[in-house]
């Protein structure tokens, strides 16, 4: 389920290992920008991302919330997907993020300008968003247009609009401010909880200890696994489509699945288990 993600993530990590300006394109980026028709996941929750880089629209009576946007060039696609669902991008009032990498926060500057939305980012990732990636502990270079953060949040803080509330869970390690989100939703008349997992990927070159830019990465990553295990995960959602078998589940929905395929607590547990196993493998190699 997760293996096909490793090639583009390795390519992303490789950018940190060369002393050249960030390129306009990254190997695999075209796949990340391949369009996918938007669709409804739950009563007020919609998918508006590409085939691999997720973006979610949460609709409320007082305006909408957008979680993630993909790489920089995905911005217009996301807005087109919002329109295709019959919603007005100008109704997007809040932009939130899983983590401050170019393949998720890339179009935030454009999306903020196009919608007039307020940007709400975790304390650990806010400086990276505002520097366009230059202050990232690993990449150290501008990789997307900087965007102004309007509100900084910490673990347990909430984002509310129109009677809908998301809760932020700082699940650091992949980035210093990697943020997973919980959201109560209604699916087929039943109360469920969506868990949007940031990422449990340890990129090649990450060090669990000893990195002056992030000396406590390993401890944060272990804490994040425990945090995610403690969350109720009915709808399993995440920052990459491959993490959640997005295309397979979308196909099942189109085929008329009797139950919503995104209700997948077993898949959620398997993803967390996979992240923990990755941590243990790196620990066994001395953390590097």
């Amino acid at each position: 389920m997760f293996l096909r993600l490793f090639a583009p993530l390795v390519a992303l990590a490789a950018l940190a290992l060369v002393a050249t300006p960030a390129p306009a394109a990254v190997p695999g980026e075209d796949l990340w920008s391949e369009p996918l028709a938007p669709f409804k996941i739950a009563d007020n929750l919609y998918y508006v991302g590409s085939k691999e880089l997720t973006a979610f629209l949460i609709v409320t009576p007082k305006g909408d919330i957008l979680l993630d946007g993909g790489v920089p060039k995905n911005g217009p696609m996301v807005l087109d997907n919002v329109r295709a669902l019959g919603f007005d991008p100008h109704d997007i009032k809040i932009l939130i993020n899983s983590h401050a990498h170019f393949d998720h926060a890339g179009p935030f500057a454009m999306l903020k300008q196009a919608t007039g939305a307020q940007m709400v980012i975790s304390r650990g990732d806010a400086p990276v968003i505002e520097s366009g990636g230059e202050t990232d502990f690993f990449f150290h270079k501008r990789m997307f247009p900087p965007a102004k953060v309007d509100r900084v949040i910490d673990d347990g803080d909430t984002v509310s609009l129109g009677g809908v509330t998301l809760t932020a869970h700082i699940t650091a390690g992949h980035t210093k401010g990697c943020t997973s989100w919980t959201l109560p939703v209604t699916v087929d008349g039943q109360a469920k909880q969506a868990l949007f997992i940031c990422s449990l990927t340890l990129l090649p070159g990450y060090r669990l200890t000893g990195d002056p830019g992030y000396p406590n990465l390993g401890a944060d990553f272990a804490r994040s696994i425990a945090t995610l295990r403690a969350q109720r995960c009915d709808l399993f959602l995440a920052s990459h489509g491959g993490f959640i078998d997005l295309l397979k589940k979308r196909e099942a929905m189109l085929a008329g699945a009797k139950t919503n395929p995104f209700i997948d607590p077993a898949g959620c547990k398997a993803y967390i288990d996979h992240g923990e196993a990755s941590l243990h493998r790196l620990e066994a190699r001395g953390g590097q």
Side-chain angles (χ1 to χ4, degrees), residues 216-233:
N216 58 329
L217 188 156
D220 278 358
F221 198 89
R223 189 179 304 110
S224 295
I225 290 169
T227 295
L228 290 170
R229 289 201 188 283
Q231 305 309 313
R232 176 180 169 186
C233 181

mmCIF file of all heavy atoms in Angstrom, residues 216-233:
data_model
loop_
_atom_site.group_PDB
_atom_site.id
_atom_site.type_symbol
_atom_site.label_atom_id
_atom_site.label_comp_id
_atom_site.label_asym_id
_atom_site.label_seq_id
_atom_site.Cartn_x
_atom_site.Cartn_y
_atom_site.Cartn_z
ATOM 1 N N ASN A 216 15.731 16.388 18.480
ATOM 2 C CA ASN A 216 14.794 15.476 19.147
ATOM 3 C C ASN A 216 13.815 14.840 18.163
ATOM 4 O O ASN A 216 12.708 14.459 18.532
ATOM 5 C CB ASN A 216 14.015 16.229 20.229
ATOM 6 C CG ASN A 216 13.239 17.417 19.685
ATOM 7 O OD1 ASN A 216 13.662 18.036 18.713
ATOM 8 N ND2 ASN A 216 12.112 17.742 20.313
ATOM 9 N N LEU A 217 14.240 14.665 16.908
ATOM 10 C CA LEU A 217 13.347 14.102 15.902
ATOM 11 C C LEU A 217 12.823 12.730 16.325
ATOM 12 O O LEU A 217 11.628 12.448 16.221
ATOM 13 C CB LEU A 217 14.079 14.010 14.555
ATOM 14 C CG LEU A 217 13.267 13.625 13.317
ATOM 15 C CD1 LEU A 217 13.953 14.137 12.051
ATOM 16 C CD2 LEU A 217 13.028 12.121 13.179
ATOM 17 N N GLY A 218 13.704 11.859 16.776
ATOM 18 C CA GLY A 218 13.289 10.506 17.130
ATOM 19 C C GLY A 218 12.272 10.480 18.252
ATOM 20 O O GLY A 218 11.287 9.739 18.197
ATOM 21 N N ALA A 219 12.506 11.272 19.281
ATOM 22 C CA ALA A 219 11.568 11.321 20.402
ATOM 23 C C ALA A 219 10.213 11.863 19.960
ATOM 24 O O ALA A 219 9.162 11.358 20.374
ATOM 25 C CB ALA A 219 12.147 12.175 21.525
ATOM 26 N N ASP A 220 10.236 12.885 19.107
ATOM 27 C CA ASP A 220 8.985 13.433 18.590
ATOM 28 C C ASP A 220 8.233 12.397 17.762
ATOM 29 O O ASP A 220 7.010 12.256 17.872
ATOM 30 C CB ASP A 220 9.258 14.666 17.726
ATOM 31 C CG ASP A 220 9.453 15.930 18.543
ATOM 32 O OD1 ASP A 220 9.347 15.867 19.786
ATOM 33 O OD2 ASP A 220 9.724 16.985 17.942
ATOM 34 N N PHE A 221 8.964 11.667 16.923
ATOM 35 C CA PHE A 221 8.335 10.671 16.055
ATOM 36 C C PHE A 221 7.670 9.582 16.897
ATOM 37 O O PHE A 221 6.524 9.174 16.625
ATOM 38 C CB PHE A 221 9.376 10.075 15.118
ATOM 39 C CG PHE A 221 8.802 9.379 13.921
ATOM 40 C CD1 PHE A 221 8.542 10.071 12.750
ATOM 41 C CD2 PHE A 221 8.541 8.018 13.946
ATOM 42 C CE1 PHE A 221 8.016 9.434 11.639
ATOM 43 C CE2 PHE A 221 8.016 7.360 12.860
ATOM 44 C CZ PHE A 221 7.754 8.071 11.685
ATOM 45 N N ALA A 222 8.355 9.112 17.932
ATOM 46 C CA ALA A 222 7.785 8.085 18.809
ATOM 47 C C ALA A 222 6.547 8.614 19.527
ATOM 48 O O ALA A 222 5.530 7.907 19.664
ATOM 49 C CB ALA A 222 8.839 7.623 19.822
ATOM 50 N N ARG A 223 6.612 9.860 19.969
ATOM 51 C CA ARG A 223 5.462 10.469 20.636
ATOM 52 C C ARG A 223 4.286 10.606 19.670
ATOM 53 O O ARG A 223 3.127 10.404 20.051
ATOM 54 C CB ARG A 223 5.865 11.828 21.196
ATOM 55 C CG ARG A 223 4.805 12.477 22.099
ATOM 56 C CD ARG A 223 5.284 13.809 22.630
ATOM 57 N NE ARG A 223 6.552 13.700 23.330
ATOM 58 C CZ ARG A 223 7.704 14.184 22.886
ATOM 59 N NH1 ARG A 223 7.754 14.827 21.722
ATOM 60 N NH2 ARG A 223 8.811 14.049 23.578
ATOM 61 N N SER A 224 4.584 10.908 18.433
ATOM 62 C CA SER A 224 3.528 11.067 17.437
ATOM 63 C C SER A 224 2.803 9.756 17.168
ATOM 64 O O SER A 224 1.581 9.726 16.987
ATOM 65 C CB SER A 224 4.120 11.620 16.136
ATOM 66 O OG SER A 224 4.632 12.918 16.338
ATOM 67 N N ILE A 225 3.549 8.670 17.142
ATOM 68 C CA ILE A 225 2.921 7.360 16.967
ATOM 69 C C ILE A 225 1.953 7.087 18.111
ATOM 70 O O ILE A 225 0.820 6.639 17.895
ATOM 71 C CB ILE A 225 4.001 6.273 16.871
ATOM 72 C CG1 ILE A 225 4.758 6.410 15.547
ATOM 73 C CG2 ILE A 225 3.389 4.880 16.988
ATOM 74 C CD1 ILE A 225 6.013 5.573 15.465
ATOM 75 N N ALA A 226 2.383 7.380 19.333
ATOM 76 C CA ALA A 226 1.502 7.179 20.485
ATOM 77 C C ALA A 226 0.271 8.082 20.405
ATOM 78 O O ALA A 226 -0.846 7.661 20.725
ATOM 79 C CB ALA A 226 2.272 7.442 21.782
ATOM 80 N N THR A 227 0.475 9.322 19.965
ATOM 81 C CA THR A 227 -0.651 10.253 19.824
ATOM 82 C C THR A 227 -1.659 9.731 18.820
ATOM 83 O O THR A 227 -2.885 9.749 19.072
ATOM 84 C CB THR A 227 -0.141 11.630 19.375
ATOM 85 O OG1 THR A 227 0.683 12.182 20.412
ATOM 86 C CG2 THR A 227 -1.296 12.586 19.086
ATOM 87 N N LEU A 228 -1.197 9.246 17.689
ATOM 88 C CA LEU A 228 -2.112 8.756 16.658
ATOM 89 C C LEU A 228 -2.833 7.490 17.107
ATOM 90 O O LEU A 228 -4.018 7.301 16.805
ATOM 91 C CB LEU A 228 -1.351 8.518 15.357
ATOM 92 C CG LEU A 228 -0.876 9.798 14.661
ATOM 93 C CD1 LEU A 228 0.080 9.467 13.525
ATOM 94 C CD2 LEU A 228 -2.058 10.612 14.144
ATOM 95 N N ARG A 229 -2.136 6.629 17.830
ATOM 96 C CA ARG A 229 -2.794 5.422 18.326
ATOM 97 C C ARG A 229 -3.930 5.750 19.285
ATOM 98 O O ARG A 229 -4.891 4.977 19.416
ATOM 99 C CB ARG A 229 -1.781 4.518 19.030
ATOM 100 C CG ARG A 229 -0.799 3.838 18.100
ATOM 101 C CD ARG A 229 -0.195 2.613 18.749
ATOM 102 N NE ARG A 229 0.874 2.039 17.957
ATOM 103 C CZ ARG A 229 0.716 1.285 16.865
ATOM 104 N NH1 ARG A 229 -0.514 1.032 16.438
ATOM 105 N NH2 ARG A 229 1.750 0.792 16.214
ATOM 106 N N ALA A 230 -3.834 6.881 19.953
ATOM 107 C CA ALA A 230 -4.845 7.260 20.939
ATOM 108 C C ALA A 230 -6.095 7.879 20.308
ATOM 109 O O ALA A 230 -7.095 8.084 20.998
ATOM 110 C CB ALA A 230 -4.243 8.227 21.947
ATOM 111 N N GLN A 231 -6.041 8.175 19.000
ATOM 112 C CA GLN A 231 -7.165 8.836 18.345
ATOM 113 C C GLN A 231 -8.162 7.814 17.795
ATOM 114 O O GLN A 231 -7.766 6.762 17.291
ATOM 115 C CB GLN A 231 -6.686 9.726 17.194
ATOM 116 C CG GLN A 231 -5.640 10.748 17.586
ATOM 117 C CD GLN A 231 -6.034 11.572 18.781
ATOM 118 O OE1 GLN A 231 -7.150 12.078 18.872
ATOM 119 N NE2 GLN A 231 -5.099 11.717 19.722
ATOM 120 N N ARG A 232 -9.413 8.150 17.863
ATOM 121 C CA ARG A 232 -10.424 7.355 17.169
ATOM 122 C C ARG A 232 -10.274 7.621 15.671
ATOM 123 O O ARG A 232 -10.232 8.772 15.237
ATOM 124 C CB ARG A 232 -11.813 7.757 17.647
ATOM 125 C CG ARG A 232 -12.962 7.062 16.917
ATOM 126 C CD ARG A 232 -14.291 7.535 17.464
ATOM 127 N NE ARG A 232 -15.400 7.075 16.616
ATOM 128 C CZ ARG A 232 -16.666 7.440 16.789
ATOM 129 N NH1 ARG A 232 -16.980 8.274 17.777
ATOM 130 N NH2 ARG A 232 -17.612 6.983 15.983
ATOM 131 N N CYS A 233 -10.188 6.572 14.894
ATOM 132 C CA CYS A 233 -9.974 6.718 13.454
ATOM 133 C C CYS A 233 -11.022 5.887 12.724
ATOM 134 O O CYS A 233 -10.812 4.706 12.446
ATOM 135 C CB CYS A 233 -8.563 6.270 13.077
ATOM 136 S SG CYS A 233 -8.173 6.435 11.321
#
